[in-house]
Amino acid sequence: MKLWELLYSSFGNRCPRCHKGKVFKTDNPYDLKNFDKMNTECPCCGEVFEKETGYYYGAMYVSYAWMAGWFIVTFTINSYFIEAELLNYLIFFFVSVLILSPMTFRVSRITWLNFFVKYDPEKSKCIKPQQDLNQ
Ligand SMILES: [Zn+2]
């Protein structure tokens, strides 16, 4: 797993195997009625996204890691450049975590998928026409 493959797949809502099909049905993480709706399998290569019951429990740890990274980055920027008081920074941090939570949910699940599914350029030749990729 290369870093750019992980980032492209996770932040682009793309299947980790083919990088063409979409994992989530909608690209908008702030479509709050549908942001968590996943395709059961990749519309392009047929990779199954729901491997077993409880498969995505591990994504909670990935979510924790992404948020720890967010904390480190924002805390460092605040400490060296902005120098806001600690309470103001903490308010900013928790509000930003709330605002980012739909995106974190999706990115964490796709990152978790990337741990177990390797990118295969041969699979990127879709068997279905391009317009069916949005299912
Ligand atoms: Zn795919």
Side-chain angles (χ1 to χ4, degrees):
M1 173 175 56
K2 295 177 183 156
L3 182 62
W4 75 266
E5 292 172 359
L6 171 74
L7 295 176
Y8 177 78
S9 172
S10 297
F11 286 93
N13 186 23
R14 297 296 172 187
C15 166
R17 177 152 334 262
C18 67
H19 285 188
K20 295 276 185 188
K22 293 182 178 179
V23 176
F24 287 92
K25 294 185 179 195
T26 176
D27 277 334
N28 183 1
Y30 295 99
D31 178 2
L32 295 180
K33 285 188 176 177
N34 301 311
F35 81 97
D36 60 338
K37 305 274 189 302
M38 293 179 72
N39 291 316
T40 53
E41 64 184 37
C42 177
C44 178
C45 70
E47 175 71 25
V48 177
F49 294 141
E50 185 69 43
K51 309 243 180 244
E52 60 189 14
T53 305
Y55 177 73
Y56 289 103
Y57 279 130
M60 290 189 298
Y61 300 104
V62 176
S63 175
Y64 176 80
W66 277 116
M67 285 296 100
W70 176 246
F71 176 81
I72 291 167
V73 167
T74 57
F75 189 80
T76 303
I77 289 172
N78 182 50
S79 296
Y80 289 102
F81 301 109
I82 300 172
E83 298 176 358
E85 289 185 31
L86 183 62
L87 180 63
N88 291 336
Y89 168 73
L90 289 176
I91 291 169
F92 158 78
F93 179 73
F94 287 113
V95 168
S96 71
V97 166
L98 275 177
I99 292 171
L100 290 174
S101 60
M103 197 163 79
T104 307
F105 172 86
R106 295 161 56 109
V107 168
S108 300
R109 282 190 169 212
I110 301 174
T111 302
W112 184 248
L113 262 176
N114 270 276
F115 289 157
F116 302 100
V117 179
K118 191 176 177 190
Y119 175 56
D120 182 0
E122 286 297 313
K123 296 284 183 181
S124 64
K125 299 166 187 145
C126 293
I127 35 179
K128 294 181 176 180
Q130 193 74 18
Q131 62 267 21
D132 287 343
L133 292 178
N134 293 324
Q135 291 178 357

